[in-house]
Amino acid sequence: MNYCASPYFYRRRLTREVVVGDPHRGGVIIGGRHPVMKQSMLTCDTMDTEACVKQTLDLVEAGCQLVRITAPTVKDAANLRNIVEKLRAQNCFVPICADIHFKPEAALEAARWVEKIRINPGNFVDKKKFEVREYDDATYFAEMDRIEEVFAPLVRLCKELGRAMRIGTNHGSLSDRILNRYGDTPMGMVESALEFARVARRLDFHNFCFSMKASNPKVMIECYRLLVEKLEKLGPDWNYPVHLGVTEAGEGEDGRIKSAIGIGSLLCDGIGDTIRVSLTEDSPHEIPVCTDLIAQTPELTAPLPPVAMPEWAFTTWPVDPFNYQRRVTAEVEVGFGLKCGGEHPIRVIVPRNVYQQVAPRLRPQDDVRPEGIYEDLLVWEVDPRESLQVPDDTHLVTVKDNLPLPAISAFRLLAGRLQEAGRRNPILLKDCLAPPAAALSPARVLVASATVLGSLLADGIGDAIMVRHEPGAGASLRLAYNILQAVGSRSFKTDYVACPSCGRTLFNLQTVTARIKARTEHLKGVKIAIMGCIVNGPGEMADADFGYVGGGPGKVNLYVGKKPVRFNIPEAEAVDQLVALIKEHGKWREPDAA
């Protein structure tokens, strides 16, 4: 059993329905045959009732169908009553979801007033101290009894009041118990969620969905695939819907590209019933990206034509969908003294007309540059529906243009054909199989190119890429490199992990992120995490070099990896201290004079 019916043919995963609120009065139904639903989260203080009401109304006007509000304390949870009452008085019946971390008692209070509760298994009962200890089976399962004791009252209350629930694990906040048994792995995230789901099922509560969020799109994709595969194995009555999201995606193009890689690729595999794009921007900006991701899915998964397909296309995956490994290939020259395939970086190829436009502006020190001209390459263009006639492994292979195939399916079929033939030819990926007849909007270009190329690269398929959706020469080149950076295949600039802000945030994330970027955006290969609070901080920063985390009102803690090294720094001094920390660890260089 695998995570979808076939990697080559689109079929949406059919799930049970989860009812959030009264569908006849603004409520929604997640899953089943209902359209994928869009949601977002407030960024203001939960105790500021008027601000919460205004932000909710703004989100609804933008097209948001479910609004999440953090409830870090019982006092915050109690104020949800005032927020909901004011919204209903203004004829706004959008369902409200309370976001709970650390405080089971806050969840019990919130469930009295809102339609949905999100809990994080990593910190709802267990505490995360990054302690290393041995768990024998007796100790491990004794703690499971403690989880049921704390979690069961919330389940019973949600069942009694007709509430919905999201059991949402985050890569950054697995409990010490899970970390010690499974490590910081997709399997650990899945098992953490299933532990809580089993408690809910024992109490005959089924009105819940899952989420498996991570800031790394490849990790996020693997987690959701593994979750769905586990649910399929558990049986047909485990067909719970899932909420998709790349957490801490960041801002601007980078945040949109990361989200498209993670969310878009899973939607194209038929997985996902509700989505949230987590941007370090004002929340209403997230909704158009959700809309674009949902709208493009039918276009990127158009049904394959009724032609004879190889038998293995129904049963064989060309890669391991649960463990990323780049496909093994031979080396091929691409020009400019460079090669692709083998252990070489994934290269960026451009058509000749793009090269002619950008070449006069290139400087010797530029990292963003064409690495091959398509018309000059020895490229074998094939129809992957047919048996391959590639002479040897020294040819770069791609899919022919103008075939009636979705690009993702076509390149997976090509990888399968090469595997069938025992060939190790490197593959040139294209974001579309023909330049679009009509220009897409800049926003749609980003998500379409990132979804197609990012999905395949996250599969381990592809040794070179070419962007054709974007008509601008320089913009298409930059987009190709941004996709490679977002999927973790190349690093040509500073990488930022930035959370989207919420009522727990202890500083202005947009302002601080801009300030940090202004000082550090020239640090190629350095990864910096910017977190408004501690909820996901240390864990999501595990693969970051440095972290800037809200430690208290007006105070910041600095991290190296997931280890806190400087505490309670006044916010006015924190960026300077971060730069000093980067210098101390030998990662600093002065920006170019230009």
Side-chain angles (χ1 to χ4, degrees), residues 262-299:
I263 299 171
S265 65
L266 288 164
L267 288 176
C268 287
D269 276 340
I271 296 171
D273 305 282
T274 173
I275 66 174
R276 190 256 173 124
V277 172
S278 299
L279 300 178
T280 311
E281 301 176 19
D282 293 340
S283 298
H285 294 170
E286 298 176 353
I287 303 304
V289 189
C290 292
T291 301
D292 287 341
L293 286 168
I294 294 168
Q296 73 172 1
T297 303
E299 301 165 10

Side-chain angles (χ1 to χ4, degrees), residues 562-573:
K562 62 184 179 184
K563 181 180 180 182
V565 294
R566 297 184 185 177
F567 301 89
N568 298 319
I569 302 166
E571 189 179 332
E573 305 171 13

